[in-house]
Amino acid sequence: MLEALSQRLGAIFARLGNRGRLTEADVNEVAREVRIALLEADVNLAVAKDFVARVKERAVGADVLASLTPAQSVIKIVHDELVTLMGGAVARLQFSDAPPSVIMLVGLQGSGKTTQAAKLALRLKEQGRRSLMIAADVQRPAAIAQLQTLGKQIDVPVYAEQTGDPVGIAQRGLSEARRLGLSTVIVDTAGRLQIDDELMVELERIKERTSPKEILFVADAMTGQEATRVAKGFHDRVGITGVILTKMDGDARGGAALSIHHVTGAPIKFVGVGERVSALEPFHPDRIASRILGMGDVLTLIEKTQSVYTEQQARDLEQKLRRNEFTLDDFLGQLRQVRKMGSMAELVKMIPGLSRALPNVEIDERDVQRIEAIICSMTRRERRYPQILNASRRRRVASGSGTQVSDVNRLVKQFEASRHMMKQLGGGKRPRLPFLGR
Amino acid sequence: MSWFGKLRDALGGSRQSLAEIETLATARRPLDRAFWNELEEVLIAADFGVSTAEKILDGLQAAARRNLWTRSDQVIGRFKRDVESFLTMPESTLRLEARPAVLLIVGVNGTGKTTTIGKLAQDFRTQQKSVMLVAADTFRAAAADQLAVWAQRSGSEFLRGREGSDPSAVVYDGIAAAKARGIDVVLIDTAGRLQTKTNLMEELKKMRRVIERESGAPPAETLLVVDGTTGQNAISQAMLFNEATALTGIVVTKLDSTAKGGVLVGIADTLNVPVKLIGIGEGIEDLRPFEARAFVDALFEPETAA
């Protein structure tokens, strides 16, 4: 997700990184590029303008840290602002003290409400909460049947009436949940336009009758400039408490995430990353901000690795990453492990720097083989200390692996850059600001 | 209300007064920096995307210099004519000559494929054509049930496979049945899929091959259904679906929202595939032929407060 935005900013910062000082003209150039990057990612124009203004203000303002180079300062500011823009920390679901706690899903047609209802129910079930799903969509043909089928799949009961008033259905469903002593109720409402007054009144009435603790706005990650107006439309009428961003498993740049939070103030609580009922993940603003900045997503990488390695192995890896002992050998091991998992493209994106070395979303298997060949053509010592790779060694590696010296150079450079990031990341307890330390 | 009026309302939201319409377009403003910025913002806010907007602005600025224009209405007039002719492509109506005419409907999840098929079926039925709906979405829960409702409403024949079965097998059965029963139009509903999922795109290619083999010709139409509120990702959708299935047309839905669908221009700049239909409401009559002129005019409708 969002890798195109990270490429764009990555290119700017790579250029800035080579300069010692940042002039006002530089700041303006960065501002311009950041604006374009955000707009290309479908961030709303007004939101992008506001964001750029804040970054500029802070960049020329007083809080440029003495310990950082100007380029690092700008990166830090952009990163901070991105995290803020996407809601700060991970936001959890809230439950009311008196069960059943009601969660209401709202949004445009086709954003994925019914699917997310089942995903949420499954997630809650895994946390030991028993839910009832209420099918309050009597508009779309077979919406009820869809929820019932999903309910059967995950073994969660569904309350439905074939016709009638959604307000009454929601109310009767809630009584049913009380009768059954269930802890959570998920109300699946029909998709509607925020400008459809009649249907928005219906939502207001469902809210009034069921007093939901959470009203989650389900939004398509591919939404364009319209995202702010739609989100605001729903927020003004029913007051959304959170957002689920769906279809994030595609190549959508996901600028909608930034826009929606900006206009509603509601945190993005989950992202939908696939069609299976298990494909729902918590939204981590700081991780995604890091990814946008081309810093890779070390935390997710470590989590994913755990499913392949034992926990001990994963801790070792994390230690290595943090202590800057991550060698090309470890990298090669990773690469091979990852290939076994078969989701190369996904994981490469998480390795800092590598996504820029291999920018195409669909990783060409030959590129991977080339990297493997290059590393395999190095001596043990070279893999451990790539800095000893002088020109003659590089020529040897290139001819040994059937590649060009420039390929070797690129790999080493990227690897060094990643290690450098890791080193700075090792300073703090929590890598809130990877790259910058402290 | 006229169809154009309805589109204008739909694309522009509820407009306040006639006087406000096309202020940017009709006002005779000097061609200063503020004007160009405003025009850029209009385009970006309409989802043209930065690169398409820049391309258009570069062209307009060059034309302004060449022709020694001094006023904004000259620029806007040119813009409208250019975009209109750019979006007006030959073959923008549905081709239904083949018998059966097979229409393959594709797109990402939640764009309105099934609903579009339902509306098309009703339209064809009022033209006295015999129609068969084939539910080749065997993945999503109750997708076939949803299509079945439309088949019943429109009085179309209906064929479905088991949930989880191979969609190509359903397509095969559908075409065999349509041939046997002398059906005029076969509408094939496919599961929504993100364009980056290679295996699902391969599945689409296979369906297309089956159609070609069983009916003796490629689908009469392969239509990509795009959600009108989609931003720049729609270009990626159009490109990758076109690679997999050789699109013959695009359907843009949900244009009754306040979205303007400017990404259409970027799509047309990338692919030579015409927009054939647009959806501007829930009713059957709200699935309409695309008209470039109305689209361009609607771009300059005043924004409504959300």
Side-chain angles (χ1 to χ4, degrees):
Chain A
M1 348 166 185
L2 300 170
E3 59 273 0
L5 184 52
S6 77
Q7 263 173 43
R8 181 110 206 178
L9 292 183
I12 307 167
F13 292 133
R15 212 165 57 225
L16 283 181
N18 301 331
R19 301 196 196 156
R21 246 167 215 299
L22 212 59
T23 64
E24 197 174 331
D26 291 335
V27 173
N28 283 334
E29 193 196 352
V30 171
R32 206 182 76 88
E33 294 286 336
V34 169
R35 175 178 177 271
I36 291 174
L38 295 176
L39 290 175
E40 280 187 346
D42 287 325
V43 174
N44 179 271
L45 178 64
V47 177
K49 273 174 148 176
D50 190 67
F51 179 84
V52 167
R54 283 204 293 192
V55 167
K56 252 171 102 169
E57 196 180 310
R58 286 191 54 188
V60 294
D63 50 358
V64 170
L65 298 177
S67 60
L68 303 175
T69 68
Q72 282 174 326
S73 295
V74 174
I75 294 169
K76 176 172 157 41
I77 289 164
V78 173
H79 181 277
D80 282 1
E81 289 295 326
L82 276 176
V83 173
T84 310
L85 195 56
M86 289 189 292
V90 179
R92 293 179 196 291
L93 278 182
Q94 305 294 312
F95 298 101
S96 59
D97 301 328
S101 195
V102 178
I103 302 172
M104 186 171 153
L105 300 181
V106 302
L108 295 178
Q109 289 95 339
S111 57
K113 287 173 295 302
T114 307
T115 308
Q116 310 314 312
K119 288 180 181 178
L120 265 183
L122 177 65
R123 199 179 167 80
L124 294 174
K125 186 183 169 191
E126 284 165 359
Q127 293 167 6
R129 297 188 71 95
R130 292 168 60 223
S131 310
L132 175 73
M133 296 192 283
I134 299 176
D137 178 356
V138 294
Q139 298 266 331
R140 179 163 60 91
I144 297 169
Q146 185 185 354
L147 195 65
Q148 284 169 332
T149 309
L150 290 168
K152 236 173 268 165
Q153 251 178 53
I154 57 173
D155 196 20
V156 168
V158 173
Y159 182 84
E161 296 173 20
Q162 287 309 315
T163 51
D165 172 31
V167 182
I169 294 172
Q171 217 173 352
R172 286 186 288 279
L174 182 57
S175 310
E176 177 71 2
R178 279 207 189 94
R179 194 180 66 76
L180 295 170
L182 300 176
S183 55
T184 325
V185 166
I186 300 169
V187 187
D188 178 31
T189 65
R192 67 201 73 212
L193 293 174
Q194 82 281 9
I195 49 173
D196 187 329
D197 190 59
E198 198 181 313
L199 287 179
M200 292 309 281
V201 167
E202 179 189 288
L203 278 191
E204 288 170 340
R205 289 182 54 218
I206 294 177
K207 178 186 176 183
E208 202 180 287
R209 299 294 174 80
T210 60
S211 315
K213 184 72 180 175
E214 289 273 10
I215 298 177
L216 301 179
F217 174 60
V218 181
D220 185 327
M222 299 180 283
T223 313
Q225 294 292 314
E226 192 61 5
T228 48
R229 224 177 313 172
V230 177
K232 195 167 180 309
F234 277 92
H235 191 56
D236 288 350
R237 297 299 285 263
V238 293
I240 63 178
T241 60
V243 179
I244 303 180
L245 202 64
T246 60
K247 307 178 203 174
M248 280 290 268
D249 47 332
D251 60 350
R253 299 179 190 184
L258 283 67
S259 307
I260 294 169
H261 177 73
H262 187 84
V263 292
T264 64
I268 292 155
K269 298 206 168 176
F270 296 100
V271 292
V273 291
E275 294 184 72
R276 280 164 298 105
V277 279
S278 57
L280 189 71
E281 293 177 358
F283 180 78
H284 295 275
D286 49 345
R287 291 188 191 180
I288 292 190
S290 298
R291 193 123 105 193
I292 292 171
L293 294 178
M295 296 190 286
D297 189 346
V298 180
L299 292 172
T300 307
L301 175 65
I302 290 164
E303 270 177 16
K304 289 242 175 185
T305 320
Q306 275 171 348
S307 55
V308 185
Y309 288 115
T310 64
E311 210 155 306
Q312 184 57 49
Q313 282 172 311
R315 259 200 300 277
D316 288 347
L317 175 67
E318 191 182 340
Q319 284 294 317
K320 278 184 172 173
L321 285 169
R322 284 171 194 275
R323 286 200 202 134
N324 200 22
E325 289 168 3
F326 189 67
T327 66
L328 276 166
D329 252 338
D330 296 318
F331 179 64
L332 183 63
Q334 282 288 298
L335 210 57
R336 287 177 170 160
Q337 205 71 28
V338 159
R339 283 176 75 183
K340 271 190 221 155
M341 293 168 66
S343 55
M344 201 52 226
E346 221 12 76
L347 282 147
V348 161
K349 273 179 247 159
M350 296 171 190
I351 302 172
L354 200 63
S355 61
R356 231 177 302 149
L358 305 169
N360 32 340
V361 177
E362 246 177 280
I363 299 299
D364 190 341
E365 197 58 22
R366 280 172 308 186
D367 283 340
V368 178
Q369 282 167 1
R370 200 173 302 142
I371 290 174
E372 199 175 343
I374 291 172
I375 299 177
C376 286
S377 301
M378 294 177 184
T379 65
R380 293 249 162 237
R381 215 176 123 72
E382 284 165 350
R383 293 183 209 180
R384 173 154 277 210
Y385 307 104
Q387 57 271 30
I388 64 170
L389 282 164
N390 56 25
S392 111
R393 283 176 188 260
R394 285 176 197 225
R395 269 198 302 278
R396 194 203 75 241
V397 171
S399 70
S401 56
T403 56
Q404 302 297 315
V405 175
S406 59
D407 294 329
V408 179
N409 290 345
R410 200 170 58 230
L411 175 69
V412 172
K413 203 168 159 193
Q414 288 298 335
F415 180 74
E416 286 294 328
S418 326
R419 277 227 301 202
H420 186 64
M421 290 173 208
M422 299 295 177
K423 188 177 173 185
Q424 306 204 332
L425 181 144
K429 271 192 189 138
R430 230 168 75 78
R432 274 192 65 86
L433 297 171
F435 236 129
L436 308 162
R438 283 184 298 178
Chain B
M1 189 187 293
S2 72
W3 124 248
F4 172 70
K6 182 152 188 182
L7 176 74
R8 196 162 54 191
D9 264 12
L11 293 182
S14 55
R15 61 204 158 80
Q16 278 90 39
S17 73
L18 278 168
E20 276 185 63
I21 297 179
E22 301 184 340
T23 41
L24 183 68
T26 51
R28 299 184 156 207
R29 293 174 44 178
L31 298 181
D32 52 13
R33 208 186 158 84
F35 164 75
W36 291 112
N37 283 345
E38 202 176 315
L39 181 55
E40 184 192 18
E41 294 195 349
V42 165
L43 297 183
I44 287 172
D47 281 320
F48 273 65
V50 181
S51 53
T52 305
E54 277 180 356
K55 233 162 145 177
I56 291 173
L57 285 175
D58 285 350
L60 289 174
Q61 282 168 346
R65 277 194 301 271
R66 212 168 39 240
N67 299 314
L68 306 174
W69 287 339
T70 53
R71 298 187 329 261
S72 59
D73 56 324
Q74 295 168 307
V75 173
I76 301 288
R78 172 63 167 268
F79 167 81
K80 285 182 164 189
R81 277 196 305 279
D82 282 0
V83 174
E84 187 188 333
S85 70
F86 183 62
L87 288 178
T88 306
M89 295 188 198
E91 310 247 349
S92 64
T93 50
L94 295 179
R95 291 171 303 186
L96 302 167
E97 295 80 31
R99 192 142 184 259
V102 180
L103 276 63
L104 181 65
I105 314 297
V106 302
V108 300
N109 315 67
T111 55
K113 287 178 292 301
T114 309
T115 308
T116 299
I117 288 175
K119 290 179 184 176
L120 280 175
Q122 283 188 316
D123 187 32
F124 294 149
R125 290 294 296 141
T126 54
Q127 296 171 33
Q128 308 302 320
K129 292 182 195 299
S130 57
V131 177
M132 175 181 275
L133 306 188
V134 177
D137 180 352
T138 56
F139 182 83
R140 183 167 64 83
D145 296 338
Q146 187 179 343
L147 194 66
V149 172
W150 282 107
Q152 202 183 7
R153 278 185 197 170
S154 60
S156 304
E157 308 243 357
F158 176 67
L159 191 135
R160 69 189 298 171
R162 261 180 309 105
E163 230 161 75
S165 64
D166 180 0
S168 295
V170 184
V171 170
Y172 177 92
D173 291 345
I175 292 182
K179 281 202 294 197
R181 296 179 210 173
I183 296 283
D184 297 321
V185 186
V186 181
L187 287 157
I188 300 177
D189 189 20
T190 62
R193 65 201 72 218
L194 296 182
Q195 70 274 21
T196 49
K197 309 261 166 169
T198 319
N199 54 337
L200 296 180
M201 297 308 275
E202 288 299 323
E203 184 185 273
L204 262 192
K205 288 185 197 170
K206 186 174 165 195
M207 280 186 251
R208 200 189 138 81
R209 284 197 301 272
V210 169
I211 293 169
E212 194 158 353
R213 198 179 62 217
E214 296 310 312
S215 71
E221 292 281 356
T222 303
L223 301 175
L224 174 70
V225 182
V226 175
D227 183 328
T229 59
T230 307
Q232 298 310 299
N233 191 258
I235 294 175
S236 158
Q237 291 172 23
M239 274 171 59
L240 295 178
F241 273 99
N242 187 49
E243 269 173 34
T245 58
L247 301 173
T248 60
I250 291 170
V251 181
V252 185
T253 59
K254 307 184 199 175
L255 279 180
D256 48 334
S257 66
T258 41
K260 307 227 175 188
V263 71
L264 286 186
V265 178
I267 293 177
D269 192 30
T270 317
L271 293 182
N272 206 15
V273 176
V275 178
K276 294 198 169 173
L277 299 164
I278 61 168
I280 54 167
E282 301 276 337
I284 307 299
E285 70 288 353
D286 291 330
L287 184 68
R288 292 284 183 152
F290 173 73
E291 283 178 31
R293 177 63 181 276
F295 168 80
V296 171
D297 283 336
L299 286 174
F300 292 95
E301 299 292 293
E303 303 265 327
T304 49

